[in-house]
Structures are given as structure tokens and as C-alpha cells.
Amino acid sequence: MPLYRFRCGDCGSFDQNFSMSAVPQVADCPDCAAPSKRGFAVAGLLGTGSAAARLIESTTRTASEPAVVGAPAGRSSAPVTRNPLHRKLPRP
């Protein structure tokens, strides 16, 4: 069920659940019972597990906790051989 945001002039914003077909333009404030107009709010991405949520979380985290690099990225080493005849070959 969608969550809608309403704004009370005295108490501030509050959220309420309504079905999409029955959402009113005005709802009563839960604190003072004054009529409150429906407003616009950003859709929540928290806890969705979507790719967008993971990207936002990792971007926010790297701003204060940069990744620590242990060593520079280098070439992968050549495979090690145990054949004694290979020791006589010239090295590059």
C-alpha cells in the first residue's frame, strides 16, 4: 500500500497509507485533527535492495570511507616451473 505525505500548518508533515484508488486530497492531522493537504514526496529507495539503492549507498559510503589499497595493481607474475632445465634458459 503506498505511503502518502501530508502537511499540517501547525504540526508539520506526517505520512499515512492509503490505497491508490482511495487517497484523499485532504487528511486529518493525527496530532491536532486539522485538515492537512496532500504534498509531494520523493519515493523511498532505502531497503529495496535494488541496483540504484546499492549504488547510492556505496557512493555515499566512499565519500567518508575511501577504499584502502594494499598495493598498486601490477602485472600478473609468470607461472613458476619446477623443471631444472628451464633454469638454463635466458631470462628477459
Side-chain angles (χ1 to χ4, degrees), residues 36-50:
S36 306
K37 290 186 178 182
R38 189 174 83 185
F40 293 98
V42 178
L45 293 176
L46 299 176
T48 61
S50 68

Side-chain angles (χ1 to χ4, degrees), residues 16-53:
Q16 284 189 344
N17 289 326
F18 290 100
S19 67
M20 292 175 68
S21 62
V23 62
Q25 291 296 323
V26 177
D28 292 336
C29 176
D31 295 330
C32 66
S36 306
K37 290 186 178 182
R38 189 174 83 185
F40 293 98
V42 178
L45 293 176
L46 299 176
T48 61
S50 68

Side-chain angles (χ1 to χ4, degrees), residues 10 17 19 22 28 30 38 51 54 56 59 68 72 74 77 79 88:
D10 297 329
N17 289 326
S19 67
D28 292 336
R38 189 174 83 185
R54 287 190 304 272
I56 290 169
T59 304
V68 177
S77 62
K88 296 179 182 178

